[in-house]
Short mmCIF file of all heavy atoms in Angstrom, two decimals:
data_model
loop_
_atom_site.label_atom_id
_atom_site.label_comp_id
_atom_site.label_asym_id
_atom_site.label_seq_id
_atom_site.Cartn_x
_atom_site.Cartn_y
_atom_site.Cartn_z
N LEU A 24 179.62 -148.51 -29.42
CA LEU A 24 178.24 -148.18 -29.78
C LEU A 24 177.32 -148.71 -28.69
O LEU A 24 177.41 -149.89 -28.32
CB LEU A 24 177.86 -148.80 -31.12
CG LEU A 24 176.37 -148.84 -31.48
CD1 LEU A 24 175.81 -147.44 -31.71
CD2 LEU A 24 176.13 -149.72 -32.72
N ARG A 25 176.46 -147.85 -28.16
CA ARG A 25 175.48 -148.27 -27.16
C ARG A 25 174.08 -147.95 -27.65
O ARG A 25 173.85 -146.89 -28.24
CB ARG A 25 175.73 -147.58 -25.82
CG ARG A 25 177.01 -148.02 -25.12
CD ARG A 25 177.24 -147.22 -23.83
NE ARG A 25 178.40 -147.72 -23.09
CZ ARG A 25 179.64 -147.32 -23.31
NH1 ARG A 25 179.89 -146.45 -24.27
NH2 ARG A 25 180.64 -147.82 -22.61
N ILE A 26 173.16 -148.86 -27.39
CA ILE A 26 171.75 -148.66 -27.73
C ILE A 26 170.97 -148.65 -26.42
O ILE A 26 170.97 -149.64 -25.67
CB ILE A 26 171.24 -149.76 -28.67
CG1 ILE A 26 172.10 -149.79 -29.94
CG2 ILE A 26 169.78 -149.52 -29.02
CD1 ILE A 26 171.76 -150.93 -30.89
N LEU A 27 170.30 -147.52 -26.14
CA LEU A 27 169.61 -147.34 -24.87
C LEU A 27 168.10 -147.39 -25.06
O LEU A 27 167.56 -146.95 -26.08
CB LEU A 27 169.97 -146.00 -24.23
CG LEU A 27 171.35 -145.86 -23.59
CD1 LEU A 27 172.42 -145.66 -24.67
CD2 LEU A 27 171.37 -144.69 -22.62
N ASP A 28 167.42 -147.93 -24.05
CA ASP A 28 165.97 -147.90 -23.97
C ASP A 28 165.58 -146.57 -23.32
O ASP A 28 165.94 -146.31 -22.16
CB ASP A 28 165.46 -149.07 -23.13
CG ASP A 28 163.95 -149.16 -23.10
OD1 ASP A 28 163.28 -148.10 -23.12
OD2 ASP A 28 163.42 -150.28 -23.03
N THR A 29 164.87 -145.69 -24.03
CA THR A 29 164.58 -144.36 -23.50
C THR A 29 163.46 -144.35 -22.45
O THR A 29 163.20 -143.32 -21.84
CB THR A 29 164.19 -143.40 -24.64
OG1 THR A 29 163.10 -143.96 -25.39
CG2 THR A 29 165.37 -143.17 -25.57
N GLU A 30 162.80 -145.48 -22.23
CA GLU A 30 161.81 -145.54 -21.16
C GLU A 30 162.46 -145.87 -19.82
O GLU A 30 162.11 -145.30 -18.79
CB GLU A 30 160.74 -146.58 -21.50
CG GLU A 30 159.85 -146.18 -22.67
CD GLU A 30 158.74 -147.17 -22.91
OE1 GLU A 30 158.74 -148.24 -22.24
OE2 GLU A 30 157.87 -146.89 -23.76
N THR A 31 163.43 -146.77 -19.84
CA THR A 31 164.10 -147.18 -18.60
C THR A 31 165.52 -146.62 -18.48
O THR A 31 166.11 -146.68 -17.41
CB THR A 31 164.17 -148.71 -18.52
OG1 THR A 31 164.98 -149.20 -19.62
CG2 THR A 31 162.78 -149.32 -18.62
N TRP A 32 166.05 -146.08 -19.59
CA TRP A 32 167.43 -145.57 -19.67
C TRP A 32 168.46 -146.64 -19.30
O TRP A 32 169.49 -146.35 -18.72
CB TRP A 32 167.60 -144.32 -18.81
CG TRP A 32 166.82 -143.17 -19.36
CD1 TRP A 32 165.70 -142.59 -18.84
CD2 TRP A 32 167.07 -142.49 -20.60
NE1 TRP A 32 165.24 -141.59 -19.66
CE2 TRP A 32 166.06 -141.50 -20.74
CE3 TRP A 32 168.03 -142.60 -21.60
CZ2 TRP A 32 165.99 -140.65 -21.85
CZ3 TRP A 32 167.96 -141.74 -22.70
CH2 TRP A 32 166.95 -140.79 -22.80
N THR A 33 168.15 -147.85 -19.69
CA THR A 33 169.11 -148.94 -19.53
C THR A 33 169.74 -149.24 -20.89
O THR A 33 169.13 -149.01 -21.94
CB THR A 33 168.43 -150.21 -19.00
OG1 THR A 33 167.35 -150.56 -19.89
CG2 THR A 33 167.88 -149.97 -17.60
N VAL A 34 170.96 -149.75 -20.87
CA VAL A 34 171.65 -150.12 -22.10
C VAL A 34 171.15 -151.48 -22.57
O VAL A 34 171.35 -152.49 -21.90
CB VAL A 34 173.18 -150.14 -21.89
CG1 VAL A 34 173.88 -150.60 -23.17
CG2 VAL A 34 173.68 -148.78 -21.45
N LYS A 35 170.49 -151.50 -23.71
CA LYS A 35 169.96 -152.75 -24.25
C LYS A 35 171.04 -153.55 -24.98
O LYS A 35 171.06 -154.77 -24.91
CB LYS A 35 168.80 -152.45 -25.20
CG LYS A 35 167.58 -151.81 -24.54
CD LYS A 35 166.49 -151.51 -25.55
CE LYS A 35 165.93 -152.78 -26.16
NZ LYS A 35 164.80 -152.48 -27.10
N HIS A 36 171.89 -152.84 -25.71
CA HIS A 36 172.95 -153.52 -26.47
C HIS A 36 174.21 -152.65 -26.42
O HIS A 36 174.13 -151.42 -26.46
CB HIS A 36 172.54 -153.74 -27.93
CG HIS A 36 171.29 -154.56 -28.08
ND1 HIS A 36 171.28 -155.94 -27.99
CD2 HIS A 36 170.01 -154.18 -28.30
CE1 HIS A 36 170.05 -156.37 -28.15
NE2 HIS A 36 169.26 -155.33 -28.34
N LYS A 37 175.33 -153.31 -26.36
CA LYS A 37 176.61 -152.59 -26.30
C LYS A 37 177.62 -153.31 -27.18
O LYS A 37 177.81 -154.52 -27.06
CB LYS A 37 177.10 -152.52 -24.85
CG LYS A 37 178.41 -151.77 -24.70
CD LYS A 37 178.66 -151.34 -23.25
CE LYS A 37 178.69 -152.53 -22.31
NZ LYS A 37 179.04 -152.10 -20.93
N TYR A 38 178.24 -152.55 -28.09
CA TYR A 38 179.26 -153.10 -28.98
C TYR A 38 180.59 -152.43 -28.64
O TYR A 38 180.84 -151.29 -29.03
CB TYR A 38 178.89 -152.84 -30.45
CG TYR A 38 177.57 -153.43 -30.86
CD1 TYR A 38 176.39 -152.69 -30.77
CD2 TYR A 38 177.48 -154.74 -31.35
CE1 TYR A 38 175.17 -153.22 -31.15
CE2 TYR A 38 176.26 -155.29 -31.74
CZ TYR A 38 175.11 -154.52 -31.63
OH TYR A 38 173.90 -155.05 -32.01
N LEU A 39 181.43 -153.11 -27.89
CA LEU A 39 182.70 -152.56 -27.44
C LEU A 39 183.76 -152.65 -28.54
O LEU A 39 183.87 -153.68 -29.21
CB LEU A 39 183.19 -153.31 -26.20
CG LEU A 39 182.31 -153.21 -24.95
CD1 LEU A 39 182.81 -154.16 -23.87
CD2 LEU A 39 182.28 -151.78 -24.43
N LYS A 40 184.47 -151.55 -28.73
CA LYS A 40 185.55 -151.51 -29.73
C LYS A 40 185.09 -152.11 -31.06
O LYS A 40 185.75 -152.98 -31.64
CB LYS A 40 186.80 -152.22 -29.21
CG LYS A 40 187.39 -151.56 -27.96
CD LYS A 40 188.73 -152.16 -27.58
CE LYS A 40 189.28 -151.52 -26.31
NZ LYS A 40 189.46 -150.07 -26.42
N CYS A 41 183.96 -151.61 -31.52
CA CYS A 41 183.37 -152.18 -32.72
C CYS A 41 184.03 -151.68 -34.01
O CYS A 41 183.75 -152.18 -35.09
CB CYS A 41 181.86 -151.90 -32.75
SG CYS A 41 181.42 -150.16 -32.68
N HIS A 42 184.90 -150.67 -33.89
CA HIS A 42 185.71 -150.19 -35.02
C HIS A 42 187.16 -150.12 -34.56
O HIS A 42 187.45 -150.09 -33.37
CB HIS A 42 185.26 -148.79 -35.47
CG HIS A 42 184.01 -148.79 -36.29
ND1 HIS A 42 183.98 -148.40 -37.62
CD2 HIS A 42 182.72 -149.09 -35.96
CE1 HIS A 42 182.73 -148.47 -38.07
NE2 HIS A 42 181.96 -148.88 -37.08
N ASP A 43 188.06 -150.05 -35.52
CA ASP A 43 189.48 -149.87 -35.19
C ASP A 43 189.82 -148.41 -34.95
O ASP A 43 190.84 -148.10 -34.35
CB ASP A 43 190.36 -150.42 -36.32
CG ASP A 43 190.26 -151.93 -36.43
OD1 ASP A 43 189.99 -152.58 -35.40
OD2 ASP A 43 190.45 -152.45 -37.55
N SER A 44 188.97 -147.50 -35.46
CA SER A 44 189.19 -146.06 -35.30
C SER A 44 188.03 -145.44 -34.52
O SER A 44 186.95 -146.04 -34.44
CB SER A 44 189.30 -145.39 -36.68
OG SER A 44 190.36 -145.95 -37.43
N PRO A 45 188.22 -144.24 -33.95
CA PRO A 45 187.12 -143.58 -33.23
C PRO A 45 185.89 -143.40 -34.11
O PRO A 45 186.00 -143.12 -35.30
CB PRO A 45 187.73 -142.23 -32.83
CG PRO A 45 189.19 -142.49 -32.76
CD PRO A 45 189.48 -143.49 -33.84
N LEU A 46 184.72 -143.56 -33.51
CA LEU A 46 183.47 -143.43 -34.24
C LEU A 46 183.12 -141.96 -34.48
O LEU A 46 183.42 -141.10 -33.65
CB LEU A 46 182.34 -144.11 -33.47
CG LEU A 46 182.50 -145.62 -33.28
CD1 LEU A 46 181.44 -146.17 -32.35
CD2 LEU A 46 182.44 -146.33 -34.61
N TYR A 47 182.48 -141.71 -35.61
CA TYR A 47 182.14 -140.33 -35.98
C TYR A 47 180.65 -140.12 -36.19
O TYR A 47 180.14 -139.03 -35.94
CB TYR A 47 182.91 -139.92 -37.25
CG TYR A 47 182.97 -138.43 -37.47
CD1 TYR A 47 184.06 -137.70 -37.03
CD2 TYR A 47 181.94 -137.75 -38.13
CE1 TYR A 47 184.14 -136.32 -37.22
CE2 TYR A 47 182.00 -136.38 -38.31
CZ TYR A 47 183.10 -135.67 -37.86
OH TYR A 47 183.16 -134.31 -38.04
N SER A 48 179.93 -141.14 -36.66
CA SER A 48 178.51 -140.98 -36.96
C SER A 48 177.77 -142.30 -36.77
O SER A 48 178.38 -143.37 -36.78
CB SER A 48 178.31 -140.48 -38.41
OG SER A 48 178.95 -141.36 -39.32
N CYS A 49 176.46 -142.20 -36.60
CA CYS A 49 175.63 -143.40 -36.47
C CYS A 49 174.21 -143.08 -36.88
O CYS A 49 173.82 -141.91 -36.97
CB CYS A 49 175.66 -143.94 -35.04
SG CYS A 49 174.92 -142.84 -33.81
N ALA A 50 173.43 -144.12 -37.14
CA ALA A 50 172.02 -143.94 -37.50
C ALA A 50 171.29 -145.24 -37.22
O ALA A 50 171.85 -146.33 -37.33
CB ALA A 50 171.87 -143.56 -38.98
N SER A 51 170.02 -145.10 -36.85
CA SER A 51 169.14 -146.25 -36.66
C SER A 51 168.31 -146.44 -37.91
O SER A 51 167.65 -145.50 -38.38
CB SER A 51 168.23 -146.02 -35.44
OG SER A 51 167.30 -147.07 -35.32
N LEU A 52 168.34 -147.64 -38.47
CA LEU A 52 167.58 -147.92 -39.69
C LEU A 52 166.20 -148.49 -39.39
O LEU A 52 165.25 -148.28 -40.13
CB LEU A 52 168.36 -148.87 -40.60
CG LEU A 52 169.77 -148.41 -40.99
CD1 LEU A 52 170.36 -149.35 -42.03
CD2 LEU A 52 169.76 -146.97 -41.50
N ASP A 53 166.09 -149.28 -38.31
CA ASP A 53 164.80 -149.76 -37.83
C ASP A 53 165.00 -150.20 -36.37
O ASP A 53 166.02 -149.89 -35.76
CB ASP A 53 164.21 -150.87 -38.71
CG ASP A 53 165.09 -152.10 -38.80
OD1 ASP A 53 165.81 -152.42 -37.82
OD2 ASP A 53 165.07 -152.79 -39.84
N ALA A 54 164.05 -150.93 -35.84
CA ALA A 54 164.12 -151.30 -34.42
C ALA A 54 165.30 -152.21 -34.10
O ALA A 54 165.73 -152.30 -32.94
CB ALA A 54 162.81 -151.98 -34.00
N ASN A 55 165.86 -152.87 -35.10
CA ASN A 55 166.93 -153.84 -34.85
C ASN A 55 168.26 -153.51 -35.50
O ASN A 55 169.30 -153.99 -35.06
CB ASN A 55 166.49 -155.23 -35.33
CG ASN A 55 165.25 -155.73 -34.61
OD1 ASN A 55 165.24 -155.85 -33.39
ND2 ASN A 55 164.19 -155.99 -35.37
N ILE A 56 168.23 -152.72 -36.56
CA ILE A 56 169.43 -152.51 -37.37
C ILE A 56 169.92 -151.07 -37.25
O ILE A 56 169.15 -150.12 -37.32
CB ILE A 56 169.15 -152.86 -38.84
CG1 ILE A 56 168.79 -154.35 -38.96
CG2 ILE A 56 170.36 -152.55 -39.71
CD1 ILE A 56 168.40 -154.78 -40.35
N SER A 57 171.23 -150.92 -37.07
CA SER A 57 171.86 -149.61 -36.99
C SER A 57 173.15 -149.63 -37.78
O SER A 57 173.70 -150.69 -38.10
CB SER A 57 172.12 -149.22 -35.53
OG SER A 57 172.84 -150.22 -34.86
N VAL A 58 173.66 -148.43 -38.10
CA VAL A 58 174.92 -148.32 -38.84
C VAL A 58 175.83 -147.33 -38.12
O VAL A 58 175.36 -146.40 -37.46
CB VAL A 58 174.70 -147.86 -40.30
CG1 VAL A 58 174.10 -148.97 -41.13
CG2 VAL A 58 173.85 -146.60 -40.36
N THR A 59 177.13 -147.53 -38.28
CA THR A 59 178.12 -146.65 -37.70
C THR A 59 179.19 -146.33 -38.74
O THR A 59 179.46 -147.12 -39.64
CB THR A 59 178.81 -147.29 -36.47
OG1 THR A 59 179.29 -148.60 -36.83
CG2 THR A 59 177.84 -147.40 -35.30
N GLY A 60 179.79 -145.15 -38.60
CA GLY A 60 180.90 -144.75 -39.46
C GLY A 60 182.03 -144.21 -38.61
O GLY A 60 181.78 -143.56 -37.60
N ASP A 61 183.26 -144.47 -39.03
CA ASP A 61 184.39 -144.02 -38.20
C ASP A 61 185.23 -142.97 -38.91
O ASP A 61 184.94 -142.56 -40.04
CB ASP A 61 185.23 -145.21 -37.73
CG ASP A 61 185.99 -145.92 -38.85
OD1 ASP A 61 186.28 -145.30 -39.88
OD2 ASP A 61 186.31 -147.12 -38.69
N GLU A 62 186.29 -142.54 -38.23
CA GLU A 62 187.12 -141.45 -38.73
C GLU A 62 188.00 -141.87 -39.90
O GLU A 62 188.58 -141.01 -40.58
CB GLU A 62 187.99 -140.89 -37.60
CG GLU A 62 187.17 -140.18 -36.53
CD GLU A 62 188.04 -139.54 -35.46
OE1 GLU A 62 189.28 -139.72 -35.51
OE2 GLU A 62 187.48 -138.85 -34.58
N ASP A 63 188.13 -143.16 -40.17
CA ASP A 63 188.95 -143.64 -41.28
C ASP A 63 188.13 -144.10 -42.48
O ASP A 63 188.68 -144.68 -43.41
CB ASP A 63 189.84 -144.80 -40.81
CG ASP A 63 191.02 -144.31 -39.99
OD1 ASP A 63 191.37 -143.11 -40.11
OD2 ASP A 63 191.58 -145.10 -39.21
N GLY A 64 186.81 -143.85 -42.46
CA GLY A 64 186.00 -144.13 -43.63
C GLY A 64 185.31 -145.48 -43.67
O GLY A 64 184.72 -145.84 -44.69
N PHE A 65 185.34 -146.24 -42.57
CA PHE A 65 184.66 -147.53 -42.53
C PHE A 65 183.18 -147.34 -42.18
O PHE A 65 182.84 -146.53 -41.30
CB PHE A 65 185.29 -148.46 -41.50
CG PHE A 65 186.51 -149.18 -42.00
CD1 PHE A 65 187.77 -148.63 -41.84
CD2 PHE A 65 186.39 -150.41 -42.63
CE1 PHE A 65 188.90 -149.29 -42.29
CE2 PHE A 65 187.51 -151.08 -43.09
CZ PHE A 65 188.78 -150.52 -42.92
N VAL A 66 182.33 -148.09 -42.84
CA VAL A 66 180.89 -148.16 -42.53
C VAL A 66 180.58 -149.59 -42.10
O VAL A 66 180.95 -150.55 -42.79
CB VAL A 66 180.03 -147.78 -43.75
CG1 VAL A 66 178.56 -148.03 -43.47
CG2 VAL A 66 180.27 -146.33 -44.14
N LYS A 67 179.91 -149.72 -40.94
CA LYS A 67 179.50 -151.04 -40.46
C LYS A 67 178.02 -151.04 -40.13
O LYS A 67 177.47 -150.03 -39.68
CB LYS A 67 180.30 -151.44 -39.21
CG LYS A 67 181.78 -151.69 -39.48
CD LYS A 67 182.48 -152.30 -38.27
CE LYS A 67 183.93 -152.61 -38.57
NZ LYS A 67 184.59 -153.34 -37.45
N MET A 68 177.39 -152.20 -40.35
CA MET A 68 175.98 -152.39 -40.03
C MET A 68 175.86 -153.43 -38.93
O MET A 68 176.57 -154.44 -38.94
CB MET A 68 175.19 -152.81 -41.26
CG MET A 68 173.70 -153.00 -41.03
SD MET A 68 172.85 -153.58 -42.53
CE MET A 68 173.05 -152.16 -43.60
N TRP A 69 174.91 -153.17 -38.01
CA TRP A 69 174.72 -154.06 -36.85
C TRP A 69 173.27 -154.47 -36.74
O TRP A 69 172.37 -153.67 -36.94
CB TRP A 69 175.14 -153.34 -35.57
CG TRP A 69 176.48 -152.70 -35.67
CD1 TRP A 69 176.76 -151.42 -36.08
CD2 TRP A 69 177.74 -153.31 -35.38
NE1 TRP A 69 178.11 -151.20 -36.07
CE2 TRP A 69 178.74 -152.34 -35.63
CE3 TRP A 69 178.12 -154.56 -34.92
CZ2 TRP A 69 180.09 -152.60 -35.45
CZ3 TRP A 69 179.46 -154.82 -34.72
CH2 TRP A 69 180.44 -153.85 -34.99
N ASP A 70 173.06 -155.76 -36.43
CA ASP A 70 171.72 -156.29 -36.17
C ASP A 70 171.72 -156.83 -34.75
O ASP A 70 172.43 -157.80 -34.45
CB ASP A 70 171.39 -157.40 -37.18
CG ASP A 70 169.94 -157.85 -37.10
OD1 ASP A 70 169.35 -157.79 -35.99
OD2 ASP A 70 169.38 -158.28 -38.13
N ASN A 71 170.95 -156.18 -33.86
CA ASN A 71 171.03 -156.56 -32.44
C ASN A 71 170.46 -157.95 -32.15
O ASN A 71 170.55 -158.43 -31.03
CB ASN A 71 170.37 -155.49 -31.56
CG ASN A 71 168.93 -155.24 -31.93
OD1 ASN A 71 168.20 -156.13 -32.32
ND2 ASN A 71 168.52 -153.98 -31.79
N ARG A 72 169.87 -158.59 -33.17
CA ARG A 72 169.38 -159.96 -32.99
C ARG A 72 170.46 -160.99 -33.29
O ARG A 72 170.28 -162.19 -33.04
CB ARG A 72 168.18 -160.21 -33.92
CG ARG A 72 166.99 -159.31 -33.66
CD ARG A 72 166.02 -159.33 -34.82
NE ARG A 72 166.63 -158.77 -36.04
CZ ARG A 72 165.96 -158.53 -37.16
NH1 ARG A 72 164.66 -158.80 -37.23
NH2 ARG A 72 166.59 -158.03 -38.22
#
Side-chain angles (χ1 to χ4, degrees):
L24 166 67
R25 292 177 175 86
I26 303 175
L27 286 78
D28 185 326
T29 55
E30 292 184 353
T31 63
W32 293 110
T33 56
V34 177
K35 296 178 65 177
H36 301 280
K37 181 163 59 175
Y38 301 91
L39 297 172
K40 298 188 181 301
C41 58
H42 283 246
D43 293 332
S44 301
L46 297 172
Y47 198 95
S48 56
C49 65
S51 175
L52 304 187
D53 60 31
N55 299 301
I56 297 175
S57 54
V58 287
T59 52
D61 68 25
E62 292 184 356
D63 284 339
F65 277 91
V66 173
K67 292 189 177 186
M68 181 182 294
W69 311 90
D70 188 330
N71 57 35
R72 299 164 295 188

